[in-house]
Amino acid sequence: MRFRIAPPSPDLVASAAMKKLRTAVIGTGFIGRVHVENVRRLGIEVSAIGGRRPEAVRAVADALGIEKAETDFLKIVEDPSIDAVHICTPNVVHFNIAKAALDAGKHVLCEKPLATSIQEARTLVETARARNRRNCTCHNLRYYPMVQHMRRMREDGDLGEILVVQGTYSQDWLLYDTDWNWRIDPRENGPSRALADIGSHWCDMAEHITGQRITALCADLQTFHKTRKRPKGPIETFAGKTLSPEDYVPFAIDTEDFASVVFHMGDRTRGAFTASQVSAGRKNQLSIEIYGSKASVAWNQERPDELWIGNRNINNQVIVKDPSLMKERARSYADLPGGHSEGYADTFKQVFRRFYRSIEEPAAEPEYPQFSDGLRQLNILEIELASHQRRGWMEVPL
Amino acid sequence: MRFRIAPPSPDLVASAAMKKLRTAVIGTGFIGRVHVENVRRLGIEVSAIGGRRPEAVRAVADALGIEKAETDFLKIVEDPSIDAVHICTPNVVHFNIAKAALDAGKHVLCEKPLATSIQEARTLVETARARNRRNCTCHNLRYYPMVQHMRRMREDGDLGEILVVQGTYSQDWLLYDTDWNWRIDPRENGPSRALADIGSHWCDMAEHITGQRITALCADLQTFHKTRKRPKGPIETFAGKTLSPEDYVPFAIDTEDFASVVFHMGDRTRGAFTASQVSAGRKNQLSIEIYGSKASVAWNQERPDELWIGNRNINNQVIVKDPSLMKERARSYADLPGGHSEGYADTFKQVFRRFYRSIEEPAAEPEYPQFSDGLRQLNILEIELASHQRRGWMEVPL
Amino acid sequence: MRFRIAPPSPDLVASAAMKKLRTAVIGTGFIGRVHVENVRRLGIEVSAIGGRRPEAVRAVADALGIEKAETDFLKIVEDPSIDAVHICTPNVVHFNIAKAALDAGKHVLCEKPLATSIQEARTLVETARARNRRNCTCHNLRYYPMVQHMRRMREDGDLGEILVVQGTYSQDWLLYDTDWNWRIDPRENGPSRALADIGSHWCDMAEHITGQRITALCADLQTFHKTRKRPKGPIETFAGKTLSPEDYVPFAIDTEDFASVVFHMGDRTRGAFTASQVSAGRKNQLSIEIYGSKASVAWNQERPDELWIGNRNINNQVIVKDPSLMKERARSYADLPGGHSEGYADTFKQVFRRFYRSIEEPAAEPEYPQFSDGLRQLNILEIELASHQRRGWMEVPL
Amino acid sequence: MRFRIAPPSPDLVASAAMKKLRTAVIGTGFIGRVHVENVRRLGIEVSAIGGRRPEAVRAVADALGIEKAETDFLKIVEDPSIDAVHICTPNVVHFNIAKAALDAGKHVLCEKPLATSIQEARTLVETARARNRRNCTCHNLRYYPMVQHMRRMREDGDLGEILVVQGTYSQDWLLYDTDWNWRIDPRENGPSRALADIGSHWCDMAEHITGQRITALCADLQTFHKTRKRPKGPIETFAGKTLSPEDYVPFAIDTEDFASVVFHMGDRTRGAFTASQVSAGRKNQLSIEIYGSKASVAWNQERPDELWIGNRNINNQVIVKDPSLMKERARSYADLPGGHSEGYADTFKQVFRRFYRSIEEPAAEPEYPQFSDGLRQLNILEIELASHQRRGWMEVPL
């Protein structure tokens, strides 16, 4: 029996040096505000915020207590007092801002997808390398404590050979043809919707946990609403309103509401997943199941602090997140004691802490997703779209 | 407020006429014994049992209190005192017994798969029609109360248009290369394993609930164990024993441990499922999720009395089986009041009750799966195997 | 690695000798019909059924295919062709029938509560002993496979010292004042309702699993509906009808809708439970949690095939019932392989199989609840009612 | 159909004015660090941290990037640049610091229990009133989004009359006699352990959600470990170590490991709860079930984003937290869209945001627990301890 001075204390430590870093967030939407709040948990100052419309960005800056509000992102990326930039804009402008920020010597943390084409993403990977700047594609979902525990179980061989990987990323927020968002417009979002927005999270997680690459796939896409109702005028003013015919225009849709994909991984692993924005009742269900020759794991983002471990000859297990029961190398991803839930916001804190630490320690290996990981997802996405077009299996370049 | 004389009483009623029917079960394995026990719940006499080895079948007959024990199935199917025959043997002999029983004028209830080839199955469908005999392929899993509730919800339009159907049938009983069973030997089992044994249950359920047909599919099969260890000598004597090299011979495997399938259904529905006998921790997990334009349902055989109903604009729902909350046309499938669980054995009772009722009432429409449903599953299976061979999409004949 | 000839075969075996036993069921309600059906699974003939109203009992007998229908229970208990009698009537007549049946030399299986007074129950215990007849109080809920697994875990010391036992038996079928059933009338039911009907199941299970006795308790009862609406005329005719004032008479209620109890068990164990018939949404939730110095278990009748095992220094576990993972001495209570659910009806089969086996083997120890167990529950019940009256703690005689 | 510009944006807004507030946290343990991190999310500066040992507090200050580190709490409470003080120390010093801070004109947010005696707590309530300072007892668990949703459902009458309230707060971190923490020593913790530390959270939540007061109770306490092993020397150095006899001294325990309580609430409501620090496998399980005459709710802190709603005549419901489905007056407690989990840390943010807003808006009603709520819990606790001593029911003053 070991002595326990319980409950275990969290690793809330940032550092005095990090405290002096200054950062900026570009994008005033939901995800931009999540970035502001969670970077502040580390004691790092958000000194500027960027957005498209002058009044809107000033209002957000005031509400959040941020000094500078800018509509010209160049003013932010060229501000010498700023060390790093978070890019939280619609996808189509990721590239321009990230490129400019790197060229201006900033470290860059970009929301996913990194870009809307492989060529753009390659340029960003190369620029970051050439400029020697820290770069992160915000695949934050890897950093739920239980996801890291799965990853470390696999690394330690607890699962044996990985046989099967399956799951889904299903949401319902675009179920009706009256649901509207910038992601529906390919001019803001790029050529893929369900796969680019959430399917990429699933594939990133599958490759991250298993340590294997998807090698071949056959994808099938479906757009259930061929036409959606686009509100006329400023979109925010319509939120929650009952729709009249004079309020909208029909908008032809060619990005997918749903996709199903079967795939090969590594040498022998097989799998399947679906991505859906039209699955009634699923609010944010990323579920992934990994079946190995020794044991299995299953996890669902809607209950992030739980992990199911499947066994053949002994009882199955269910973990309620508890650092004292986690793999040692996963433990720093859990800041709270057993049964004290850590949620979506906390995953950002984990990414940001490691991102800013790596700025302070230039020799350290980055422990967060790189721009190259963002490029990887764009490579998979391209093959998924092509497989659907050609209606058949295709190889995925490694 | 309505008056309730609670708890609601079950429909346990068989009938006096049914009581006089006499039946026989061919097959002494696990599933044969399940048939014996559950046909008896209706008050119907099992007057004979058939099996391959004389001592074994006599022993089982004695243990179960059955009068006649036969090794020659013809003695059973030609016995004029017997009204119906249950076929619970290995797959490869289904055809011969079923054909002989129909030819002898018996009503026939056959375990699935109905046969090991489409041609055999077609012959059985035609013979049953020609002989005007009741015929049932035992897709019993349709008859969990919550499955019937899903079906009736769909029929009533509660789900709207079906958009997506997905799920899995995953087990772990063949995870290790030391797991052995007659199903591993294609000479007893036929050319497909995971898809024929459990994938067919999934497809039958998907088509039964949605009322739609799978129209096209792309399947991918994998045999993780290319060689398994076959015990030398009588198999039962090895159950639970530790294996020595002298106890077994290597046995080359070409039937699949796992399959993943993407498919089209009806006009616009899309879906995916996996079938696995090597998924550690999943004992008998048939899970199916059906997403409609109005609402969704999700069900899992490991918790059969529960049903999840997903919604976008109102709360999701979870039913613990309760006849008073079920669709009226599903209610007769639940014999027990709310919260009194009904399990695997009870699904057989539901099939058998309807099968024997239909014998008594020759004009009545059968309310259970026909031989034609067994044929349907063999059609899908053939396309699945061909799709894997050709590595691409194929149309499924309706 | 051990060889597995999977899936494990069930112990469906009754026996040829049992087949020759003949039995009778007295009571035509829901539970009587459950008895008929489940005794038949063993191949035992139900040769008579008893009930109060001549047409009703004849109709049920016909529907179930039972030869004799009797309104005078003496005709059944004195029928020399009958070996055993199942008593499934309202509580107040349990005693008279059981006494007469024992006196006539029958083996008796009686629904719980065994009687409506301790004195009656004592007489039955003594009569059974004097007549040397097999006797069973039908505490069937003990015989879910997972309940037996918990019991065997405790016996093997897997839980360590039992520290805490807690839970509830909650239903909602008497939530409204328009809910009516014979149990509401103390002339049919006796002086306690929630505690007698379902609280007694909870206490029986707690004592059965832990092997300890409740030694002291403090109970608090509440009757939320002081008056209920009793339908005029034959009750069945009102089922599901909308109530008009002329259809009912007010009926004053003094039996409890709800009770909460704190208790001591054994030397140091502490606990609490509630019993409720007015808990909206709980259909038949018997949940019990047992916390030991080494490990814990938690089980819920609404998901009977699952068991949660709680640990401090290793992962918690969740079992989906699987005979191959069960304690060896619990395994015979599971007839089906892993993940094939066993439900409420199956618990009766387990009791009946053991009851009838013990008739055949007069020297064998009974492996089912005795009349003395029924008496034990009446002793606890008496103290619960007295504790509530006196508003304080009371000792429970052992 | 309504237009939805999805996903709904969170209310992450603090305000520019709040940004200028400066605060201090006294206590360097786990909970102190949680306070630092979460107050920073609002953009508020933590300018000082207090602790007992000079090196330790300086180290924590550096690690967290906080300017001032103090061992004399008076230096903090008398610092004119500081607006508010968070008290996160062991319980016995809450009173002295809170009193001094109020006297120095600071707003005070104090961890629970507010004090270790009713007299102290009364003094604090009166001082805060006299000094007209904002005061908060940190019953943060009220502020999970689903808890607020339950509260608003009750306020809106969705549950009808509350009939039954039951549940538990169960943990396992003190299961073994080698588990040690300052809470075990009554000189730091006060005279009650399980009830004061976690039972008080349960009672606060029960009264908060139902809007009713506990009026009478009967409590039963148990100390399973009469002696625990106290490490010699500085405690932190022993964390996770294997214990040798020379490392510890026996320490006699008289505070409770476990308590069970039955109670009356309001006029007719009945209930029961347990509080346990020795329940293996329960990491932080606060579960509460509230049964009303119309509907029920059940919630469990280990799955905080889920809510079960129980019904009799319609399906039960299960919510995965989704602001668009929440009661309007509960919605501001959910900052993230549907299915994006909010955890333990987020509850602190909700309390702190409202606390600091109320400092800026002196006329506003406080929307967080007051010192008077802390006093209320001490009143209940006193009666619980007395009821156990007297072994009987006692009235609780309102």
Side-chain angles (χ1 to χ4, degrees), chain D residues 20-87:
Chain D
K20 305 210 176 77
L21 293 170
R22 287 162 59 91
T23 197
V25 173
I26 303 180
T28 58
F30 158 62
I31 206 69
R33 287 180 269 178
V34 168
H35 279 240
V36 169
E37 186 179 295
N38 285 289
V39 77
R40 281 176 163 172
R41 294 170 85 164
L42 307 172
I44 290 171
E45 184 181 343
V46 181
S47 56
I49 188 163
R52 266 189 281 199
R53 285 173 296 139
E55 329 73 53
V57 66
R58 186 66 256 165
V60 170
D62 286 348
L64 298 177
I66 296 171
E67 192 185 329
K68 296 183 199 168
E70 302 286 355
T71 52
D72 179 355
F73 71 79
L74 287 175
K75 289 209 178 133
I76 290 177
V77 302
E78 291 171 356
D79 178 341
S81 74
I82 287 172
D83 299 286
V85 172
H86 293 237
I87 303 175

Side-chain angles (χ1 to χ4, degrees), chain B residues 8-14 42 331-336 349-350 353-354 357, chain C residues 30 33 37 64:
Chain B
S9 279
D11 171 26
L12 297 176
V13 176
L42 307 172
R331 213 170 283 161
S332 73
Y333 296 88
D335 281 2
L336 299 176
K349 183 181 68 172
Q350 297 295 344
R353 180 191 292 160
R354 286 165 177 77
R357 272 189 189 155
Chain C
F30 158 63
R33 287 180 267 178
E37 186 180 294
L64 298 177

Side-chain angles (χ1 to χ4, degrees), chain B residues 2 6 181 240-241 303 306, chain C residues 2-3 6 181 240 303 306:
Chain B
R2 289 174 158 264
N181 181 272
K241 294 294 177 350
R303 289 179 177 170
E306 288 188 27
Chain C
R2 291 176 155 261
F3 229 40
N181 181 271
R303 288 179 178 171
E306 288 187 26

